[in-house]
Amino acid sequence: MAKRLIYLMVLPACLLALTHRVPAQTNAAPAPIVLHASRLLDVETGRMLTPGEVRVEGERIAEVGSAVAHPGGAQVIDLGDTTLLPGLIDSHVHLFLHPGAEDLQTVQEPVPQRTIMATLAARADLMAGYTAERDMGTEGAGSADTAVRNAINQGLIPGPRLRISGNAISILGGHEDAIGYNPEQRVLSNATYANNPAELIAVVREQIKEGADFIKIYETGEDSFQNGQFSTPYQYTEAELSAAVGEAARVGKRVAVHATGEPGALYAVRAGVASVDHAYQLSDETMRLMREKQIPAVPTFAIEEYFAEHPSSPEEATWGQLLEFHAQQFRKQLAAGVPMAVGSDVGPYAHGTQAREFVLMVKYGMTPLAALQADMINGAKLLGWQGQIGALKPSYFADIIAVPGNPLQEIGVLQRVAFVMKGGIVYRK
């Protein structure tokens, strides 16, 4: 009965999502759209245009300035006292997770149900202004995110542009394995096992076959934070990670790692990963190499704050202390010149609310402009879409949002997105 109720609740929402599908293609070119607002932020330079206008033709930006051409037949959308920005980028999301016990979602919820929930999560994120995301593992749903990405690309459902990784990779008994259950029950891990270089290469090949854009590997866990001291065991050696990085690179793809501390983070950076996600604690040598190789950290503060405020276990009750420790380490990382990207780890908390990450990154040491640049410039590069998203420039995709007020003065306005366009289609107005 409970499962039936879940499906009855989810189905109407899914049908509602389908009503926002991209209009069918026609032979006639769409009329130009001119967006007008009190302000427009050039994220690359920090310059604020007043007023600001963007002319959109088809799925691309044609012109940007304080006053652009208004061709005959153009639709003019006056957004009033708002600031025009590129669409937000979240470099660390979990579309297949929702609030509740993560480990039990795989056990209790079949993959079709989780896929339906993922489509609703994608819609919620888009409506909150996120026009591009990197899905960092389906947490036991295999390659189901391939279907979600493809449905978005085909205009069947609304959602951000996606880079997807399928199931994350971990060792037997490692992070996301079903530890603590009766072993006779054979509860599945939320990650795919690989225990040596040969197995890593085989799993990487399988995930790429199933549609992965990049590979997600758990490099550290389980974390421990006691008496102000943080520690975490590594899961793969540098040589093992190098095998995975090399295999992904063979077909033009990259590896991202969950790495909260040392020595795992150093092994990952030496192996040449694309990003170090979470990065609670980094050594001086790791930070030096990340600066030198331009490998960004993705701090994910919002998830730490959420667990600190909603503990479900004695271990999670210490997350408030861990958050303060991470904030101190983050300031050291900024001072050392470690590049940053913005990722929220949304999923365990509600999709569409993750702009809180910007507020925390500013609270813990970044300027609003630096946080926006980390999100849009570094995020576009991390997702492999540099030169196409992350700025309001001619020939870029028309992924545009508007927020009330001035985000350079109050970064929290990103939590109140008033307008969303992706690829020239208006999704929120």
Side-chain angles (χ1 to χ4, degrees), residues 34 73 109-110 186 216 286 313 347 372 390 398:
V34 175
E109 301 170 8
R186 307 296 182 193
K216 157 76 176 290
T286 299
S313 68
L372 289 166

Side-chain angles (χ1 to χ4, degrees), residues 71 80 97 146 167 191 200 217 261 286 306 308 353 404 408-409:
L97 288 179
T146 298
N167 228 24
L200 275 166
I217 293 178
T286 299
Y306 177 81
T353 68
L408 297 185
Q409 297 174 354

Side-chain angles (χ1 to χ4, degrees), residues 226-355:
Q226 296 181 349
N227 301 319
Q229 297 296 313
F230 178 80
S231 63
T232 186
Y234 71 89
Q235 299 200 160
Y236 296 101
T237 66
E238 180 183 338
E240 289 171 328
L241 288 175
S242 293
V245 168
E247 180 57 31
R250 182 180 64 82
V251 289
K253 299 183 186 294
R254 298 192 292 173
V255 172
V257 292
H258 166 117
T260 55
E262 301 293 356
L266 179 58
Y267 296 163
V269 170
R270 284 176 173 167
V273 300
S275 65
V276 176
D277 290 58
H278 308 302
Y280 299 162
Q281 174 250 336
L282 302 175
S283 69
D284 290 345
E285 176 64 5
T286 299
M287 290 189 287
R288 183 189 70 79
L289 287 172
M290 291 176 72
R291 181 182 69 248
E292 180 181 295
K293 295 185 175 186
Q294 286 298 289
I295 298 173
V298 184
T300 65
F301 286 121
I303 189 70
E304 296 171 71
E305 181 185 65
Y306 177 81
F307 283 138
E309 294 177 351
H310 304 84
S312 60
S313 68
E315 292 77 17
E316 289 181 3
T318 67
W319 277 67
Q321 299 171 38
L322 177 61
L323 178 59
E324 289 304 317
F325 171 81
H326 187 187
Q328 295 171 10
Q329 295 293 311
F330 178 64
R331 287 188 279 269
K332 291 180 181 178
Q333 293 165 20
L334 292 175
V338 174
M340 296 290 166
V342 181
S344 67
D345 210 359
V346 69
Y349 63 97
H351 280 275
T353 68
Q354 66 262 45

Side-chain angles (χ1 to χ4, degrees), residues 161-236:
R161 304 180 192 279
L162 289 181
R163 297 297 196 195
I164 57 100
S165 64
N167 228 24
I169 303 173
S170 187
I171 60 174
L172 178 68
H175 192 84
E176 289 300 326
D177 205 348
I179 298 173
Y181 292 102
N182 176 359
E184 297 301 319
Q185 295 300 321
R186 307 296 182 193
V187 177
L188 297 176
S189 169
N190 279 1
T192 300
Y193 293 135
N195 293 301
N196 54 54
E199 291 180 0
L200 275 166
I201 290 171
V203 170
V204 167
R205 289 176 179 173
E206 182 64 30
Q207 292 190 341
I208 291 171
K209 173 186 174 182
E210 293 176 359
D213 296 310
F214 70 100
I215 303 301
K216 157 76 176 290
I217 293 178
Y218 287 111
E219 169 54 5
T220 63
E222 181 180 7
D223 301 336
S224 173
F225 188 72
Q226 296 181 349
N227 301 319
Q229 297 296 313
F230 178 80
S231 63
T232 186
Y234 71 89
Q235 299 200 160
Y236 296 101

